Amino acid sequence: GGGEKATGRTDRAKDAVMRVVVKDLGEAHAETGVWITPHSDIHNGHPDHNPVVLQRELDWLGAADNHYGILAGDMCEMALKDSVGDVYDQVVSPQKQAELVVTQYTPYKDRLLAACGGNHEARVYRSTGFDPSMIYSSALGVPYQAEGVLLVVKFGKRTRKNAAKTRGTTDQSSTYYLYFTHGWGAARTVGAKLKNVSELRSVVSNADVYIGGHNHQPGWYPLDSYEIGPSKTLGATTIRRTQHFISLGSALDYAGYAQVKGMSPTSMLFPRIHLAPYVDQRNMGERNGKHITVVGGS
């Protein structure tokens, strides 16, 4: 999984800062780039959890050495007696649900970049002060913060000569910024569900990719904006930036509560994000623009 360093607190104190996780994959993937699929709303323990969908996503993680994943909450159902959900309908206990996550993901733990919690795991924390998502993340060795993570992914490191030979060499990597959190809201329309993710730009303004789950609606859209940047000749210039907003699906099949509320069945797709290498090998390290592709999964 490459090197990892992180800043910020990992407890749930009210003054906790946002965690920044840097995953440096070294020289790997300089030609192919990196694929990432966020996993959220798996709902282990729910009777309508679809194990075939989950296994499909786990198989994808192991299919190529440039496939990676993040865990974005609601990996477990965690119904309690005093919470939303049917405590009597769960197929295994809350503790067994957390153990299932560890069992399912251990073969792929080196492919997991970071994790946050979800509202279902938060039920347990509110009732007991015990955070099951922190426990399974720790068991898997995955950097974790309950509220969300600013993830920096670096890959394809190369040592290159600087433009002026007298300045020696530098190490350059393709570097992307992703901000993800579990998500929120009870939106019913597709547009409202997707719009939630765009609000994350007010939390972290300059990420390349924003990711949110919770609403069980897979989708993606780009938004462009201009930024003011420095210019040696003009003093300042405009830089056009494309940012990508991704809403996540679910491994929960058509559950009873959804039918009662007149909701449509979930499309159980998990978006796949391709981060392309953008250090141009032909131009002594000059950077091309970042290029991100999002596909709907299988």
Side-chain angles (χ1 to χ4, degrees):
E4 179 266 321
K5 58 183 179 179
T7 61
R9 295 175 58 181
T10 58
D11 61 22
R12 305 186 66 132
K14 291 182 179 179
D15 60 346
V17 299
M18 180 178 295
R19 188 169 194 188
V20 179
V21 173
V22 180
K23 278 290 185 176
D24 189 342
L25 305 176
E27 297 179 2
H29 318 311
E31 307 297 332
T32 62
V34 168
W35 285 93
I36 298 173
T37 288
H39 291 204
S40 86
D41 299 284
I42 301 299
H43 293 282
N44 273 301
H46 193 288
D48 294 308
H49 160 76
N50 191 319
V52 175
V53 171
L54 175 58
Q55 190 59 54
R56 178 194 70 201
E57 298 306 310
L58 294 173
D59 290 344
W60 181 89
L61 273 178
D65 65 0
N66 67 335
H67 287 187
Y68 294 90
I70 62 176
L71 306 182
D74 282 8
M75 305 299 292
C76 305
E77 177 61 18
M78 295 293 170
L80 307 177
K81 288 184 178 181
D82 58 352
S83 75
V84 176
D86 189 347
V87 67
Y88 303 108
D89 204 27
Q90 295 181 108
V91 295
V92 295
S93 69
Q95 178 172 319
K96 291 292 185 183
Q97 293 170 28
E99 292 173 357
L100 269 174
V101 176
V102 177
T103 300
Q104 291 159 348
Y105 284 89
T106 291
Y108 313 97
K109 63 181 183 179
D110 291 339
R111 303 292 180 86
L112 300 177
L113 302 177
C116 72
N119 62 293
H120 280 241
E121 290 94 351
R123 295 169 174 174
V124 180
Y125 180 78
R126 285 194 301 271
S127 294
T128 67
F130 178 82
D131 183 356
S133 49
M134 182 181 70
I135 299 304
Y136 62 65
S137 296
S138 178
L140 291 167
V142 182
Y144 169 80
Q145 182 158 327
E147 297 80 7
V149 175
L150 179 55
L151 174 63
V152 181
V153 180
K154 306 176 73 172
F155 60 91
K157 181 182 291 183
R158 305 241 177 171
T159 301
R160 306 178 186 282
K161 292 182 180 179
N162 290 325
K165 294 182 179 179
T166 57
R167 297 179 184 176
T169 61
T170 57
D171 288 333
Q172 295 183 343
S173 300
S174 298
T175 302
Y176 288 84
Y177 305 104
L178 299 86
Y179 176 59
F180 70 93
T181 187
H182 175 66
W184 66 92
R188 294 183 64 91
T189 67
V190 173
K193 292 177 180 181
L194 299 183
K195 181 181 179 298
N196 278 355
V197 187
S198 69
E199 297 179 19
L200 296 177
R201 189 159 56 173
S202 65
V203 180
V204 177
S205 63
N206 65 334
D208 299 303
V209 179
Y210 297 88
I211 300 166
H214 183 72
N215 287 309
H216 299 194
Q217 177 59 58
W220 158 84
Y221 54 96
L223 292 176
D224 281 23
S225 61
Y226 284 102
E227 298 177 357
I228 299 175
S231 170
K232 291 182 179 180
T233 56
L234 301 175
T237 187
T238 56
I239 302 170
R240 186 164 181 161
R241 173 191 290 270
T242 300
Q243 295 171 299
H244 301 260
F245 299 84
I246 298 170
S247 178
L248 304 179
S250 170
L252 188 64
D253 222 325
Y254 198 46
Y257 78 91
Q259 186 172 358
V260 168
K261 293 185 177 182
M263 297 177 176
S264 61
T266 302
S267 297
M268 291 181 285
L269 300 176
F270 288 74
R272 313 209 194 286
I273 308 159
H274 184 248
L275 310 178
Y278 65 89
V279 175
D280 191 332
Q281 301 177 42
R282 298 167 298 174
N283 293 311
M284 304 301 288
E286 292 181 8
R287 292 182 180 272
N288 290 332
K290 297 182 179 183
H291 184 72
I292 297 167
T293 302
V294 183
V295 297
S298 56

